Amino acid sequence: MTPAHAAFLDDLRRAMPASRIFTDPLSTLAYGTDASCYRLQPQIVARVDSETEVGDLLRLARRHRVAVTFRAAGTSLSGQAVSDSVLALLGDGFNRGEVLDGGARIRLGPGMIGAHANAMLAPYGRKLGPDPASIDTAKIGGIAANNSSGMCCGTRDNSYHTMQAIRLMLVDGTVLDSADPASVAAFRHSHAGLLGALAQLSGELAGDVELAARVRRKYRLKNTTGYGINALLDFADPLEMLTHLLIGSEGTLGFIAEITFHAVVEHPHKASALVCFDDLRHCCRAVSALGEARARHGVSAVELIDSRSLRAVQGKPELPDFLRRPVGPNSACLLIELRAGGAAQLDEHVEAISGLLAGFEPQLSSGFSRDAGVCAGYWALRKGLFPAVGAARRTGTTVVIEDVAFPVPRLADGVAGLTALFDRHGYDEALLFGHALDGNLHFVFAPGFDSPAEVARYAAFMQDVSDLVAGEYDGSLKAEHGTGRNVAPFVRQEWGDAAWNIMRRIKALFDPDGLLNPDVIITDNDRLHLENLKLMPAADDIVDRCTECGFCESACPSHGLTLSPRQRIAVWRRIRQLERDGGGEAELAALQSGYRYRAIATCAATGMCATRCPVGVDTGQLMQRLRGPSRHPGLARFAARHMASMTAAVRTGLRLAHLAGGRGTIPLIPVALPRAAAPLPAPGGDGEPVVLLVSCVNRALADGDDGQSSAFHTVNLLRRAGFAPVYPPGHDGLCCGQPFASANAAEALAVSGRALNAALLRASDDGRHPVYLDNGPCAARVLQAQRDGLLDARLQLGEAAGFLAERVLPRLTIRRRRPELALHIPCSVTAIGAAGHLRRLAASCCERLTVPDIACCGFAGVKGFTAPELNAHSLRRLAPALPAACRHGVSMSRSCQIGLSEHGGIAYRGIEALLDACSGEESESSAYRWLLD
């Protein structure tokens, strides 16, 4: 650490809590990792939670002359969110939002995830204009700072054009709130010089008629190369110029503390089609025609997929049958989406666009489908193009995604030119696709940076791309991903000296000492894009496909507490590299000493990261492997063979804990500790037999203070729906095997699996009768065991949510509904694809359903007891997300319900209890009395 940084650190520790300041090698490596192809390790990482802390940080940066980089989610791709100085991460204090004017506007903190903002707007039929592919993880600060767009927003609905107001902080600590007249008046007085200088720049640019015309022309394309100097022409008020220059400035001009967007309409009626052409030029002429019909006929998205991409997905199961044929080198496909406010209007759009396309003689067309499942399959094909490169790349290479824009009339030439560059430089794996309506093309390739020759190849390729896009076509080297380090050396080439000098003067006006994210956007280093390139050394076959994109982080319960999946992988890669290469003993020891708790012990290992990962990496599998085999295999074998006794012991322990008043007073015993379950109800009845496998957790823990188990409600429901539930033989001693799998107790897992298989086969008459699997995590484990061949394929296994939604709910009469209900969808339910079923069941029992966006609660089996901080951290936003009138919650995992009740402030029950209460007769009041409380 430099002396200046050491002095800065001393002062910083007096200004904010030391618990949110990190300097150890593990933290700086992990938190310094972003989605780009660059690796810079900050000297200091600070997680800032308030505007006051940001002001303190900037004050100390000025005092000690140290550079600061702000980061939101770290999903940016071009190196604009990494630093070797001070990295400031946005904490929970910036995660806030408020819907205004009945959904017409939304005020957001920079730490809110874009998809969460859209969830707030959804009830009003609105959404954010920007729609980047990373919106499920990307945060508002990064979306605005990069002027992100996406597949549908074009240039009209990006952050620049939909921003209504902004609150920002300049490097000198001054705050400007453009929605507050008093703040605006004070700023006009205090920063008259800055505003005057912007007005002068505006006059100079407008006076250069040729350059002004070029600026206007270039911003009719998507363009995020350099600063948005169109603001100098679009506005007469220099304060408006200033606020709009912050959009797309990548943290180099100031800090965005809050932003208010105009929301755009989310049309409810949609249709999609795949249309393929043998000739690229016919395809691109169709794009031009679609662009002209865009507003008139509801064309919201047109994605171009080139021949390389079509060949890359030929073997994919989601590929429609009509595309399962060889494609020619000049073929291309368009994925088109139409939207409308009503069904009749959508019919008109479909008829008009189908007729338009027919005039361009496509070779194949799926026709427009309104079926949500079919359309999702088409878009899955498009989204699968990145994994086609990311998953198949050679270990050790890095995935690079670049995005350029050509004038739409020159789009076919641009595609051909880029394809020729791939061939010239030997990037045979490269794919090309993009947002064709805007002339915006993405290309994905996998360079290696582990040798000078590979770096030289990359350098030559990037120079040729710049010459082609900026030189030959006057297009955009960066259309929507931000300039970053990767294109900063080429800004001058794209814009020319006059525009470049205006941008340099803008940077100097806002940040005269160059303290904000130096070298990003404006740099004098022509080789910046070739320095600090990220190496991806082999670490483990489970995670070597990871591209460090960060999409996993929003689903990870330990993110922000210890490490996220990509941070676990980044550190493990470094550990393995140090172990192989030798040297760096002190660094290796530091990484290893913190890794067991921060990476392994606090990983929920639920697999939720894999559901968000573009290449399907399940980091939990690696953490499970690193835990090593069970330290008590004999005890595990005993438990597997004596599960009935173990369950009885748990019930006894629960009774003793309640008698002792232990809830909330004994360490590791939560306030929401369940009561011991009553004996299972007698099975049987008239109707179709169904095997009821009651998980050990539901045999042991009551679902509510009445002492009844989940099985009590399940039996009621099954009988009410005309089924005759039966228990498998020896059901008290059966287990799904999850406890043994979590403990890496292979022998015990095998013992429990054999017993379960035999019992289910016998009870189901060798698979003739269906099997009902309660408790989401246990159901997921049993289904996985069958896929792994550990359970007989003849067994008709039905997880609870799907069985109830498809076979029970249609036979029930819902007699009473809650006005408000909260639903938690366990990660296991998401993983097995049953989230929609669970949502449907809950919605049938209430007037208004709230589903807080908590991908995984972090209870994770027994971790809610052994590492309660994980559960608490994951659910820290649960209570504020619940409506004030909401008094009941529902889920489908008994262990999750403990933590949800503990941290949500309301009692969470199982879905069977809810359905039983809502469908029971008045005479069965004991089943639904809790619902009326």
Side-chain angles (χ1 to χ4, degrees):
M1 185 178 295
T2 69
H5 285 87
F8 172 91
L9 178 62
D10 287 341
D11 284 349
L12 186 64
R13 285 173 172 158
R14 287 188 283 270
M16 61 182 288
S19 60
R20 289 192 275 108
I21 303 171
F22 309 92
T23 59
D24 62 283
L26 191 153
S27 297
T28 54
L29 172 61
Y31 299 154
T33 298
D34 81 340
S36 74
C37 61
Y38 299 95
R39 178 90 70 198
L40 286 172
Q41 192 159 343
Q43 298 181 57
I44 299 166
V45 177
R47 183 175 287 119
V48 290
D49 260 348
S50 69
E51 197 174 285
T52 299
E53 290 181 350
V54 173
D56 289 336
L57 195 76
L58 292 178
R59 173 175 54 83
L60 297 176
R62 294 193 308 275
R63 176 186 299 173
H64 298 288
R65 292 290 190 268
V66 299
V68 175
T69 296
F70 294 102
R71 180 192 294 174
T75 55
S76 52
L77 297 164
S78 303
Q80 56 267 70
V82 292
S83 172
D84 58 2
S85 180
V86 176
L87 182 66
L89 307 178
L90 299 192
D92 286 345
F94 289 105
N95 182 12
R96 59 181 185 270
E98 180 184 6
V99 176
L100 307 171
D101 303 334
R105 297 183 300 136
I106 186 167
R107 182 186 298 128
L108 299 166
M112 173 164 279
I113 292 173
H116 295 181
N118 280 340
M120 295 174 65
L121 289 167
Y124 305 93
R126 298 274 179 155
K127 64 176 183 176
L128 295 176
D131 61 339
S134 58
I135 198 165
D136 287 342
T137 301
K139 296 180 179 179
I140 296 301
I143 290 172
N146 290 293
N147 196 22
S148 302
S149 48
M151 288 186 283
C152 298
C153 89
T155 55
R156 182 187 60 185
D157 292 333
N158 60 17
S159 296
Y160 180 92
H161 287 291
T162 59
M163 179 183 72
Q164 186 264 330
I166 190 171
R167 184 177 175 89
L168 59 90
M169 182 182 294
L170 298 182
V171 72
D172 64 7
T174 302
V175 173
L176 166 64
D177 186 343
S178 69
D180 180 357
S183 175
V184 169
F187 190 86
R188 288 189 190 278
H189 176 74
S190 65
H191 286 68
L194 172 59
L195 296 176
L198 290 176
Q200 181 180 342
L201 282 175
S202 174
E204 292 177 16
L205 177 56
D208 187 335
V209 177
E210 183 178 346
L211 178 58
R214 183 166 178 260
V215 168
R216 292 188 176 100
R217 183 179 71 250
K218 282 178 69 67
Y219 279 101
R220 285 195 287 270
L221 289 175
K222 282 186 178 180
N223 194 319
T224 59
T225 308
Y227 291 121
I229 56 175
N230 53 321
L232 300 176
L233 300 175
D234 292 344
F235 302 97
D237 184 349
L239 190 132
E240 289 276 18
M241 299 174 195
L242 183 151
T243 58
H244 284 81
L245 280 168
L246 261 288
I247 301 299
S249 65
E250 302 175 30
T252 65
L253 301 183
F255 174 73
I256 298 173
E258 188 174 83
I259 189 165
T260 302
F261 287 113
H262 292 290
V264 302
V265 174
E266 171 69 305
H267 293 296
H269 296 272
K270 303 175 185 178
S272 293
L274 277 165
V275 184
C276 295
F277 300 81
D278 269 348
D279 184 84
L280 177 64
R281 295 191 179 277
H282 285 176
C283 177
C284 291
R285 283 199 290 271
V287 170
S288 295
L290 289 167
E292 294 173 3
R294 188 176 197 169
R296 190 169 65 257
H297 293 302
V299 181
S300 65
V302 177
E303 293 292 296
L304 185 146
I305 305 171
D306 81 333
S307 59
R308 285 170 171 254
S309 300
L310 290 172
R311 287 193 294 272
V313 297
Q314 279 294 298
K316 301 295 182 182
E318 64 268 23
L319 193 70
D321 288 341
F322 76 93
L323 285 179
R324 294 183 181 279
R325 64 175 187 86
V327 296
N330 204 36
S331 297
C333 188
L334 297 179
L335 173 53
I336 305 167
E337 181 177 88
L338 308 180
R339 297 187 180 185
Q345 186 183 34
L346 184 62
D347 288 341
E348 295 174 4
H349 292 340
V350 167
E351 182 179 1
I353 296 302
S354 296
L356 181 152
L357 290 168
F360 293 94
E361 301 179 348
Q363 185 195 21
L364 295 169
S365 176
S366 67
F368 282 96
S369 174
R370 297 163 179 79
D371 183 278
V374 171
C375 294
Y378 295 161
W379 287 97
L381 170 68
R382 157 64 176 83
K383 293 175 182 178
L385 296 177
F386 169 76
V389 174
R393 75 188 195 280
R394 175 177 59 84
T395 298
T397 58
T398 302
V399 175
V400 174
I401 310 175
E402 280 303 336
D403 75 307
V404 299
F406 294 97
V408 174
R410 310 286 307 272
L411 187 60
D413 294 331
V415 172
L418 286 173
T419 301
L421 292 184
F422 300 152
D423 293 338
R424 181 187 305 169
H425 293 280
Y427 289 121
D428 300 328
E429 76 286 350
L431 304 183
L432 194 151
F433 49 89
H435 316 320
L437 282 180
D438 304 299
N440 178 195
L441 297 175
H442 298 316
F443 52 92
V444 184
F445 62 113
F449 298 137
D450 51 356
S451 73
E454 283 295 300
V455 173
R457 177 165 71 128
Y458 177 72
F461 173 74
M462 288 299 296
Q463 184 61 60
D464 281 352
V465 168
S466 182
D467 292 343
L468 175 77
V469 177
E472 188 171 345
Y473 293 103
D474 198 19
S476 307
L477 281 171
K478 280 295 194 178
E480 60 179 8
H481 290 174
T483 304
R485 282 174 159 73
N486 209 27
V487 167
F490 300 100
V491 174
R492 188 172 191 171
Q493 178 176 357
E494 174 171 332
W495 279 104
D497 287 345
W500 162 255
N501 285 327
I502 289 173
M503 293 180 187
R504 287 183 69 93
R505 289 163 65 187
I506 288 170
K507 172 65 172 175
L509 284 171
F510 281 82
D511 182 23
D513 296 318
L515 301 179
L516 296 179
N517 215 6
D519 272 334
V520 169
I521 296 185
I522 299 297
T523 185
D524 292 320
N525 182 354
D526 291 342
R527 292 185 57 82
L528 182 75
H529 63 305
L530 306 177
E531 297 174 356
N532 303 298
L533 290 165
K534 182 188 288 183
L535 300 179
M536 294 285 207
D540 189 283
D541 55 0
I542 294 175
V543 298
D544 282 340
R545 298 188 313 280
C546 172
T547 65
E548 299 185 6
C549 67
F551 284 15
C552 55
E553 292 188 336
S554 59
C556 177
S558 63
H559 177 45
L561 173 69
T562 51
L563 298 179
S564 71
R566 78 160 158 189
Q567 291 165 355
R568 289 178 166 91
I569 293 170
V571 176
W572 187 243
R573 280 173 166 156
R574 181 60 176 161
I575 288 173
R576 297 294 293 136
Q577 182 184 29
L578 290 170
E579 288 175 340
R580 281 193 303 267
D581 297 347
E585 290 83 1
E587 180 188 359
L588 178 60
L591 296 180
Q592 290 174 329
S593 66
Y595 199 76
R596 178 149 295 276
Y597 171 75
R598 297 180 65 185
I600 300 173
T602 52
C603 176
T606 59
M608 280 307 294
C609 49
T611 67
R612 304 287 180 92
C613 176
V615 295
V617 171
D618 184 349
T619 310
Q621 290 185 11
L622 175 61
M623 298 302 105
Q624 189 76 2
R625 176 184 290 180
L626 296 180
R627 286 190 184 109
S630 170
R631 291 178 292 174
H632 307 287
L635 182 60
R637 285 194 305 272
F638 178 87
R641 294 190 174 103
H642 301 87
M643 186 55 65
S645 300
M646 302 294 288
T647 305
V650 171
R651 285 195 291 262
T652 299
L654 289 171
R655 294 188 188 101
L656 291 174
H658 281 272
L659 286 172
R663 295 207 304 181
T665 62
I666 300 175
L668 300 184
I669 296 184
V671 173
L673 183 73
R675 295 187 178 276
L680 297 184
D686 299 326
E688 178 187 348
V690 57
V691 180
L692 174 54
L693 178 62
V694 182
S695 61
C696 53
V697 67
N698 279 335
R699 297 197 302 268
L701 310 183
D703 190 3
D705 286 338
D706 58 4
Q708 294 292 352
S709 70
S710 170
F712 169 83
H713 303 288
T714 305
V715 168
N716 284 349
L717 288 171
L718 292 174
R719 286 174 173 164
R720 202 173 292 148
F723 291 97
V726 298
Y727 297 131
H731 63 87
D732 278 347
L734 298 177
C735 178
C736 69
Q738 184 60 46
F740 310 120
S742 298
N744 288 340
E747 189 175 345
L749 179 62
V751 168
S752 69
R754 288 192 294 268
L756 181 63
N757 189 57
L760 292 181
L761 281 173
R762 182 175 172 187
S764 66
D765 192 11
D766 288 333
R768 203 161 67 96
H769 307 309
V771 178
Y772 179 99
L773 305 172
D774 75 353
N775 203 55
C778 301
R781 179 66 209 172
V782 174
L783 291 168
Q784 184 62 50
Q786 188 180 54
R787 287 193 294 271
D788 293 341
L790 303 177
L791 294 182
D792 198 290
R794 291 173 295 172
L795 292 170
Q796 301 178 51
L797 302 178
E799 48 77 24
F803 195 95
L804 291 171
E806 295 176 348
R807 306 189 65 176
V808 173
L809 183 62
R811 304 183 188 184
L812 299 179
T813 299
I814 300 299
R815 305 177 188 278
R816 57 196 67 83
R817 292 159 62 94
R818 286 295 307 172
E820 295 270 359
L821 185 69
L823 170 65
H824 172 68
I825 301 173
C827 47
S828 54
V829 175
T830 299
I832 61 179
H837 293 310
L838 184 56
R839 188 186 289 264
R840 177 185 164 200
L841 294 169
S844 72
C845 296
C846 68
E847 303 297 333
R848 182 179 176 218
L849 184 66
T850 297
V851 188
D853 187 36
I854 298 169
C856 175
C857 74
F859 206 92
V862 299
K863 276 194 169 61
F865 299 108
T866 61
E869 67 274 20
L870 181 63
N871 183 231
H873 177 77
S874 182
L875 296 181
R876 66 196 184 281
R877 293 189 293 270
L878 174 59
L882 299 177
C886 186
R887 300 175 59 188
H888 292 83
V890 66
S891 187
M892 209 182 90
S893 165
R894 191 64 194 92
S895 56
C896 292
Q897 287 156 224
I898 298 172
L900 293 164
S901 300
E902 179 90 359
H903 299 289
I906 61 174
Y908 275 76
R909 303 288 299 271
I911 189 63
E912 294 93 346
L914 176 69
L915 284 170
D916 188 20
C918 290
S919 63
E921 299 281 356
E922 292 292 329
S923 60
E924 301 172 294
S925 60
S926 63
Y928 68 82
R929 188 178 295 118
W930 66 273
L931 191 70
L932 304 180
D933 292 343

